Amino acid sequence: MHFNNACFKIISISFHIKTPILVILLWHNCLNICVPNTRIGTVFGSKNIGVNYFVRKGAYAVIFKNQNEIGLIRTHEQQYFLPGGGIEKGETAEDALIREMLEETGYSIKNNYPFCHAQRYFMSTLPVKRPMLSDGYFFISQLDQKIQKPTEKDNYFEWINIKECEKLLFHVHQYYAVQQALKEKGANH
């Protein structure tokens, strides 16, 4: 049998593997995650009862340069993220992604294929310390053309070796999306 590492992280973080039945149910559920039009995505981290989480819905792009490189955003704090960001009121996820790409990189994107939804509960430290739920909608996109200079001065778009993503990406659910995009890309070739 093949085991999905992301699912074991969910089980061990959220439920501490209390019963074999729970493990089987969660593992089975994870095998069917991240297909187009999925309503419920994979969840990372633990939701603590009685804690009020700030929910930040965001749209993010997985952009491949070639078989070995992926585009990531490096912040001035030396943290890495997938390109994208928060969905503003009245925006679709794709509209937010297009806007965020222009702000962060100055590039337009094309052929945006929604393929995955994943979330992460964590304690944010920027801009303020507070419990957050990062609710991510992920697209496989292609870099198009340079339209403008980036308006977010503390973000730098870089091509990174795919093998470095697990170590570099700040959010585990973004790394999970990269893994799913690689599977999706492999299935379409």
Side-chain angles (χ1 to χ4, degrees):
M1 284 184 130
H2 172 72
F3 295 98
N4 183 327
N5 290 336
C7 294
F8 279 112
K9 289 179 185 175
I10 295 167
I11 293 166
S12 64
I13 292 171
S14 298
F15 301 100
H16 306 290
I17 308 181
K18 292 192 185 237
T19 67
I21 295 170
L22 180 62
V23 172
I24 292 167
L25 290 173
L26 285 173
W27 181 60
H28 178 266
N29 189 33
C30 289
L31 296 177
N32 297 311
I33 296 297
C34 271
V35 294
N37 301 319
T38 296
R39 296 168 114 205
I40 301 172
T42 301
V43 179
F44 295 88
S46 298
K47 180 178 182 180
N48 297 319
I49 297 171
V51 175
N52 186 21
Y53 289 87
F54 176 78
V55 178
R56 185 168 189 263
K57 291 188 178 293
Y60 305 93
V62 177
I63 303 170
F64 296 103
K65 181 177 183 182
N66 53 43
Q67 296 295 328
N68 300 315
E69 294 179 295
I70 187 170
L72 297 181
I73 298 294
R74 178 180 51 85
T75 67
H76 68 279
E77 294 97 10
Q78 303 302 310
Q79 294 175 328
Y80 285 84
F81 301 90
L82 287 174
I87 301 171
E88 295 179 358
K89 187 175 181 177
E91 280 185 319
T92 65
E94 186 174 12
D95 290 341
L97 179 61
I98 291 167
R99 176 185 50 75
E100 286 284 347
M101 278 297 298
L102 281 172
E103 291 173 2
E104 292 178 350
T105 70
Y107 280 90
S108 61
I109 50 176
K110 61 183 180 180
N111 301 327
N112 303 312
Y113 171 68
F115 74 97
C116 184
H117 175 232
Q119 300 174 321
R120 178 185 180 211
Y121 288 96
F122 72 108
M123 182 61 71
S124 174
T125 56
L126 294 173
V128 295
K129 186 175 180 177
R130 66 178 167 187
M132 284 189 71
L133 171 62
S134 178
D135 188 6
Y137 297 87
F138 299 92
F139 294 77
I140 295 174
S141 301
Q142 293 177 328
L143 203 60
D144 195 15
Q145 57 187 349
K146 186 81 167 183
I147 301 292
Q148 65 185 37
K149 289 184 177 183
T151 57
E152 295 182 8
K153 303 297 183 197
D154 62 343
N155 292 325
Y156 308 94
F157 184 74
E158 298 178 358
W159 294 110
I160 303 293
N161 187 302
I162 292 171
K163 293 177 182 176
E164 300 294 313
C165 285
E166 183 175 18
K167 176 177 76 174
L168 293 176
L169 280 169
F170 180 78
H171 288 297
V172 67
H173 70 309
Q174 290 189 359
Y175 175 65
Y176 175 76
V178 171
Q179 291 176 310
Q180 297 306 308
L182 287 167
K183 290 178 187 176
E184 190 78 25
K185 188 177 171 191
N188 291 325
H189 286 330

PDB file of all heavy atoms in Angstrom, residues 152-172:
ATOM      1  N   GLU A 152       4.880  45.386  -4.648  1.00  0.00           N
ATOM      2  CA  GLU A 152       5.263  44.932  -3.310  1.00  0.00           C
ATOM      3  C   GLU A 152       6.781  44.806  -3.285  1.00  0.00           C
ATOM      4  O   GLU A 152       7.347  43.855  -3.815  1.00  0.00           O
ATOM      5  CB  GLU A 152       4.579  43.606  -2.967  1.00  0.00           C
ATOM      6  CG  GLU A 152       3.074  43.748  -2.870  1.00  0.00           C
ATOM      7  CD  GLU A 152       2.371  42.455  -2.493  1.00  0.00           C
ATOM      8  OE1 GLU A 152       3.047  41.464  -2.156  1.00  0.00           O
ATOM      9  OE2 GLU A 152       1.138  42.445  -2.532  1.00  0.00           O
ATOM     10  N   LYS A 153       7.440  45.765  -2.678  1.00  0.00           N
ATOM     11  CA  LYS A 153       8.896  45.886  -2.736  1.00  0.00           C
ATOM     12  C   LYS A 153       9.650  44.831  -1.929  1.00  0.00           C
ATOM     13  O   LYS A 153      10.835  44.636  -2.136  1.00  0.00           O
ATOM     14  CB  LYS A 153       9.334  47.282  -2.272  1.00  0.00           C
ATOM     15  CG  LYS A 153       8.695  48.411  -3.068  1.00  0.00           C
ATOM     16  CD  LYS A 153       9.107  48.379  -4.518  1.00  0.00           C
ATOM     17  CE  LYS A 153       8.501  49.552  -5.263  1.00  0.00           C
ATOM     18  NZ  LYS A 153       8.519  49.390  -6.680  1.00  0.00           N
ATOM     19  N   ASP A 154       8.978  44.162  -1.000  1.00  0.00           N
ATOM     20  CA  ASP A 154       9.679  43.191  -0.157  1.00  0.00           C
ATOM     21  C   ASP A 154       9.503  41.747  -0.637  1.00  0.00           C
ATOM     22  O   ASP A 154       9.822  40.813   0.072  1.00  0.00           O
ATOM     23  CB  ASP A 154       9.232  43.317   1.297  1.00  0.00           C
ATOM     24  CG  ASP A 154       7.749  43.037   1.475  1.00  0.00           C
ATOM     25  OD1 ASP A 154       7.005  43.053   0.478  1.00  0.00           O
ATOM     26  OD2 ASP A 154       7.329  42.800   2.620  1.00  0.00           O
ATOM     27  N   ASN A 155       8.988  41.553  -1.863  1.00  0.00           N
ATOM     28  CA  ASN A 155       8.804  40.221  -2.429  1.00  0.00           C
ATOM     29  C   ASN A 155       9.673  40.067  -3.666  1.00  0.00           C
ATOM     30  O   ASN A 155       9.732  40.968  -4.507  1.00  0.00           O
ATOM     31  CB  ASN A 155       7.343  39.990  -2.812  1.00  0.00           C
ATOM     32  CG  ASN A 155       6.437  39.907  -1.605  1.00  0.00           C
ATOM     33  OD1 ASN A 155       6.833  39.401  -0.565  1.00  0.00           O
ATOM     34  ND2 ASN A 155       5.220  40.396  -1.735  1.00  0.00           N
ATOM     35  N   TYR A 156      10.310  38.897  -3.783  1.00  0.00           N
ATOM     36  CA  TYR A 156      11.207  38.631  -4.906  1.00  0.00           C
ATOM     37  C   TYR A 156      10.827  37.296  -5.537  1.00  0.00           C
ATOM     38  O   TYR A 156      10.833  36.266  -4.847  1.00  0.00           O
ATOM     39  CB  TYR A 156      12.665  38.595  -4.426  1.00  0.00           C
ATOM     40  CG  TYR A 156      13.020  39.832  -3.637  1.00  0.00           C
ATOM     41  CD1 TYR A 156      12.925  39.837  -2.245  1.00  0.00           C
ATOM     42  CD2 TYR A 156      13.412  41.005  -4.275  1.00  0.00           C
ATOM     43  CE1 TYR A 156      13.227  40.971  -1.519  1.00  0.00           C
ATOM     44  CE2 TYR A 156      13.719  42.147  -3.554  1.00  0.00           C
ATOM     45  CZ  TYR A 156      13.612  42.124  -2.176  1.00  0.00           C
ATOM     46  OH  TYR A 156      13.907  43.250  -1.448  1.00  0.00           O
ATOM     47  N   PHE A 157      10.500  37.313  -6.815  1.00  0.00           N
ATOM     48  CA  PHE A 157      10.144  36.090  -7.536  1.00  0.00           C
ATOM     49  C   PHE A 157      11.429  35.374  -7.942  1.00  0.00           C
ATOM     50  O   PHE A 157      12.308  35.968  -8.561  1.00  0.00           O
ATOM     51  CB  PHE A 157       9.313  36.433  -8.777  1.00  0.00           C
ATOM     52  CG  PHE A 157       8.812  35.238  -9.523  1.00  0.00           C
ATOM     53  CD1 PHE A 157       7.763  34.473  -9.023  1.00  0.00           C
ATOM     54  CD2 PHE A 157       9.380  34.866 -10.727  1.00  0.00           C
ATOM     55  CE1 PHE A 157       7.293  33.369  -9.718  1.00  0.00           C
ATOM     56  CE2 PHE A 157       8.918  33.768 -11.433  1.00  0.00           C
ATOM     57  CZ  PHE A 157       7.871  33.011 -10.925  1.00  0.00           C
ATOM     58  N   GLU A 158      11.530  34.094  -7.578  1.00  0.00           N
ATOM     59  CA  GLU A 158      12.739  33.321  -7.870  1.00  0.00           C
ATOM     60  C   GLU A 158      12.367  31.934  -8.386  1.00  0.00           C
ATOM     61  O   GLU A 158      11.372  31.350  -7.945  1.00  0.00           O
ATOM     62  CB  GLU A 158      13.583  33.145  -6.599  1.00  0.00           C
ATOM     63  CG  GLU A 158      14.080  34.439  -6.012  1.00  0.00           C
ATOM     64  CD  GLU A 158      14.879  34.237  -4.732  1.00  0.00           C
ATOM     65  OE1 GLU A 158      15.023  33.085  -4.264  1.00  0.00           O
ATOM     66  OE2 GLU A 158      15.354  35.254  -4.192  1.00  0.00           O
ATOM     67  N   TRP A 159      13.193  31.414  -9.295  1.00  0.00           N
ATOM     68  CA  TRP A 159      13.057  30.035  -9.740  1.00  0.00           C
ATOM     69  C   TRP A 159      13.860  29.168  -8.784  1.00  0.00           C
ATOM     70  O   TRP A 159      15.043  29.389  -8.573  1.00  0.00           O
ATOM     71  CB  TRP A 159      13.557  29.866 -11.179  1.00  0.00           C
ATOM     72  CG  TRP A 159      12.708  30.602 -12.167  1.00  0.00           C
ATOM     73  CD1 TRP A 159      13.062  31.710 -12.881  1.00  0.00           C
ATOM     74  CD2 TRP A 159      11.368  30.301 -12.541  1.00  0.00           C
ATOM     75  NE1 TRP A 159      12.012  32.113 -13.673  1.00  0.00           N
ATOM     76  CE2 TRP A 159      10.954  31.268 -13.485  1.00  0.00           C
ATOM     77  CE3 TRP A 159      10.456  29.311 -12.169  1.00  0.00           C
ATOM     78  CZ2 TRP A 159       9.689  31.260 -14.074  1.00  0.00           C
ATOM     79  CZ3 TRP A 159       9.194  29.314 -12.750  1.00  0.00           C
ATOM     80  CH2 TRP A 159       8.823  30.283 -13.685  1.00  0.00           C
ATOM     81  N   ILE A 160      13.202  28.185  -8.193  1.00  0.00           N
ATOM     82  CA  ILE A 160      13.795  27.326  -7.170  1.00  0.00           C
ATOM     83  C   ILE A 160      13.689  25.874  -7.629  1.00  0.00           C
ATOM     84  O   ILE A 160      12.676  25.468  -8.199  1.00  0.00           O
ATOM     85  CB  ILE A 160      13.043  27.495  -5.821  1.00  0.00           C
ATOM     86  CG1 ILE A 160      13.054  28.954  -5.360  1.00  0.00           C
ATOM     87  CG2 ILE A 160      13.589  26.565  -4.753  1.00  0.00           C
ATOM     88  CD1 ILE A 160      14.402  29.500  -4.982  1.00  0.00           C
ATOM     89  N   ASN A 161      14.718  25.093  -7.319  1.00  0.00           N
ATOM     90  CA  ASN A 161      14.662  23.668  -7.612  1.00  0.00           C
ATOM     91  C   ASN A 161      13.504  23.048  -6.831  1.00  0.00           C
ATOM     92  O   ASN A 161      13.371  23.288  -5.623  1.00  0.00           O
ATOM     93  CB  ASN A 161      15.984  22.997  -7.234  1.00  0.00           C
ATOM     94  CG  ASN A 161      16.041  21.554  -7.681  1.00  0.00           C
ATOM     95  OD1 ASN A 161      15.209  20.735  -7.314  1.00  0.00           O
ATOM     96  ND2 ASN A 161      17.037  21.252  -8.487  1.00  0.00           N
ATOM     97  N   ILE A 162      12.687  22.271  -7.501  1.00  0.00           N
ATOM     98  CA  ILE A 162      11.504  21.668  -6.883  1.00  0.00           C
ATOM     99  C   ILE A 162      11.876  20.858  -5.643  1.00  0.00           C
ATOM    100  O   ILE A 162      11.128  20.826  -4.667  1.00  0.00           O
ATOM    101  CB  ILE A 162      10.734  20.810  -7.904  1.00  0.00           C
ATOM    102  CG1 ILE A 162      10.110  21.714  -8.965  1.00  0.00           C
ATOM    103  CG2 ILE A 162       9.671  19.956  -7.233  1.00  0.00           C
ATOM    104  CD1 ILE A 162       9.503  20.994 -10.146  1.00  0.00           C
ATOM    105  N   LYS A 163      13.036  20.237  -5.651  1.00  0.00           N
ATOM    106  CA  LYS A 163      13.462  19.418  -4.514  1.00  0.00           C
ATOM    107  C   LYS A 163      13.665  20.247  -3.243  1.00  0.00           C
ATOM    108  O   LYS A 163      13.687  19.710  -2.147  1.00  0.00           O
ATOM    109  CB  LYS A 163      14.746  18.660  -4.850  1.00  0.00           C
ATOM    110  CG  LYS A 163      14.546  17.616  -5.928  1.00  0.00           C
ATOM    111  CD  LYS A 163      15.845  16.943  -6.278  1.00  0.00           C
ATOM    112  CE  LYS A 163      15.629  15.939  -7.404  1.00  0.00           C
ATOM    113  NZ  LYS A 163      16.878  15.325  -7.837  1.00  0.00           N
ATOM    114  N   GLU A 164      13.814  21.557  -3.388  1.00  0.00           N
ATOM    115  CA  GLU A 164      14.027  22.445  -2.239  1.00  0.00           C
ATOM    116  C   GLU A 164      12.716  22.935  -1.615  1.00  0.00           C
ATOM    117  O   GLU A 164      12.720  23.533  -0.544  1.00  0.00           O
ATOM    118  CB  GLU A 164      14.858  23.662  -2.660  1.00  0.00           C
ATOM    119  CG  GLU A 164      16.236  23.314  -3.206  1.00  0.00           C
ATOM    120  CD  GLU A 164      17.126  22.713  -2.136  1.00  0.00           C
ATOM    121  OE1 GLU A 164      17.187  23.266  -1.030  1.00  0.00           O
ATOM    122  OE2 GLU A 164      17.747  21.672  -2.419  1.00  0.00           O
ATOM    123  N   CYS A 165      11.583  22.699  -2.272  1.00  0.00           N
ATOM    124  CA  CYS A 165      10.297  23.249  -1.818  1.00  0.00           C
ATOM    125  C   CYS A 165       9.919  22.817  -0.411  1.00  0.00           C
ATOM    126  O   CYS A 165       9.460  23.638   0.387  1.00  0.00           O
ATOM    127  CB  CYS A 165       9.177  22.877  -2.776  1.00  0.00           C
ATOM    128  SG  CYS A 165       9.207  23.819  -4.292  1.00  0.00           S
ATOM    129  N   GLU A 166      10.078  21.552  -0.096  1.00  0.00           N
ATOM    130  CA  GLU A 166       9.668  21.076   1.228  1.00  0.00           C
ATOM    131  C   GLU A 166      10.426  21.816   2.323  1.00  0.00           C
ATOM    132  O   GLU A 166       9.866  22.201   3.342  1.00  0.00           O
ATOM    133  CB  GLU A 166       9.881  19.573   1.350  1.00  0.00           C
ATOM    134  CG  GLU A 166       9.403  19.024   2.685  1.00  0.00           C
ATOM    135  CD  GLU A 166       9.498  17.521   2.787  1.00  0.00           C
ATOM    136  OE1 GLU A 166      10.236  16.895   1.992  1.00  0.00           O
ATOM    137  OE2 GLU A 166       8.829  16.956   3.662  1.00  0.00           O
ATOM    138  N   LYS A 167      11.697  22.040   2.107  1.00  0.00           N
ATOM    139  CA  LYS A 167      12.542  22.723   3.086  1.00  0.00           C
ATOM    140  C   LYS A 167      12.251  24.229   3.137  1.00  0.00           C
ATOM    141  O   LYS A 167      12.271  24.833   4.209  1.00  0.00           O
ATOM    142  CB  LYS A 167      14.011  22.473   2.734  1.00  0.00           C
ATOM    143  CG  LYS A 167      15.018  23.198   3.591  1.00  0.00           C
ATOM    144  CD  LYS A 167      16.441  22.835   3.215  1.00  0.00           C
ATOM    145  CE  LYS A 167      16.803  23.545   1.923  1.00  0.00           C
ATOM    146  NZ  LYS A 167      18.194  23.387   1.526  1.00  0.00           N
ATOM    147  N   LEU A 168      11.970  24.832   1.981  1.00  0.00           N
ATOM    148  CA  LEU A 168      11.856  26.286   1.903  1.00  0.00           C
ATOM    149  C   LEU A 168      10.464  26.849   2.185  1.00  0.00           C
ATOM    150  O   LEU A 168      10.352  27.913   2.791  1.00  0.00           O
ATOM    151  CB  LEU A 168      12.311  26.775   0.527  1.00  0.00           C
ATOM    152  CG  LEU A 168      13.797  26.612   0.204  1.00  0.00           C
ATOM    153  CD1 LEU A 168      14.071  27.054  -1.228  1.00  0.00           C
ATOM    154  CD2 LEU A 168      14.655  27.381   1.182  1.00  0.00           C
ATOM    155  N   LEU A 169       9.418  26.181   1.714  1.00  0.00           N
ATOM    156  CA  LEU A 169       8.081  26.761   1.833  1.00  0.00           C
ATOM    157  C   LEU A 169       7.652  26.889   3.292  1.00  0.00           C
ATOM    158  O   LEU A 169       7.736  25.940   4.069  1.00  0.00           O
ATOM    159  CB  LEU A 169       7.053  25.950   1.050  1.00  0.00           C
ATOM    160  CG  LEU A 169       7.035  26.219  -0.446  1.00  0.00           C
ATOM    161  CD1 LEU A 169       6.185  25.181  -1.184  1.00  0.00           C
ATOM    162  CD2 LEU A 169       6.546  27.625  -0.751  1.00  0.00           C
ATOM    163  N   PHE A 170       7.192  28.075   3.644  1.00  0.00           N
ATOM    164  CA  PHE A 170       6.767  28.371   5.009  1.00  0.00           C
ATOM    165  C   PHE A 170       5.527  27.567   5.401  1.00  0.00           C
ATOM    166  O   PHE A 170       5.408  27.100   6.528  1.00  0.00           O
ATOM    167  CB  PHE A 170       6.485  29.878   5.140  1.00  0.00           C
ATOM    168  CG  PHE A 170       6.037  30.296   6.503  1.00  0.00           C
ATOM    169  CD1 PHE A 170       6.954  30.448   7.528  1.00  0.00           C
ATOM    170  CD2 PHE A 170       4.701  30.538   6.761  1.00  0.00           C
ATOM    171  CE1 PHE A 170       6.543  30.839   8.792  1.00  0.00           C
ATOM    172  CE2 PHE A 170       4.276  30.929   8.026  1.00  0.00           C
ATOM    173  CZ  PHE A 170       5.200  31.073   9.043  1.00  0.00           C
ATOM    174  N   HIS A 171       4.582  27.422   4.479  1.00  0.00           N
ATOM    175  CA  HIS A 171       3.318  26.739   4.763  1.00  0.00           C
ATOM    176  C   HIS A 171       3.316  25.321   4.220  1.00  0.00           C
ATOM    177  O   HIS A 171       3.537  25.105   3.025  1.00  0.00           O
ATOM    178  CB  HIS A 171       2.139  27.499   4.143  1.00  0.00           C
ATOM    179  CG  HIS A 171       1.808  28.779   4.826  1.00  0.00           C
ATOM    180  ND1 HIS A 171       1.377  28.845   6.135  1.00  0.00           N
ATOM    181  CD2 HIS A 171       1.830  30.052   4.376  1.00  0.00           C
ATOM    182  CE1 HIS A 171       1.148  30.104   6.457  1.00  0.00           C
ATOM    183  NE2 HIS A 171       1.420  30.856   5.415  1.00  0.00           N
ATOM    184  N   VAL A 172       3.018  24.370   5.091  1.00  0.00           N
ATOM    185  CA  VAL A 172       2.967  22.969   4.688  1.00  0.00           C
ATOM    186  C   VAL A 172       1.852  22.717   3.676  1.00  0.00           C
ATOM    187  O   VAL A 172       1.986  21.877   2.783  1.00  0.00           O
ATOM    188  CB  VAL A 172       2.845  22.033   5.918  1.00  0.00           C
ATOM    189  CG1 VAL A 172       1.512  22.207   6.628  1.00  0.00           C
ATOM    190  CG2 VAL A 172       3.059  20.592   5.527  1.00  0.00           C
TER     191      VAL A 172
END
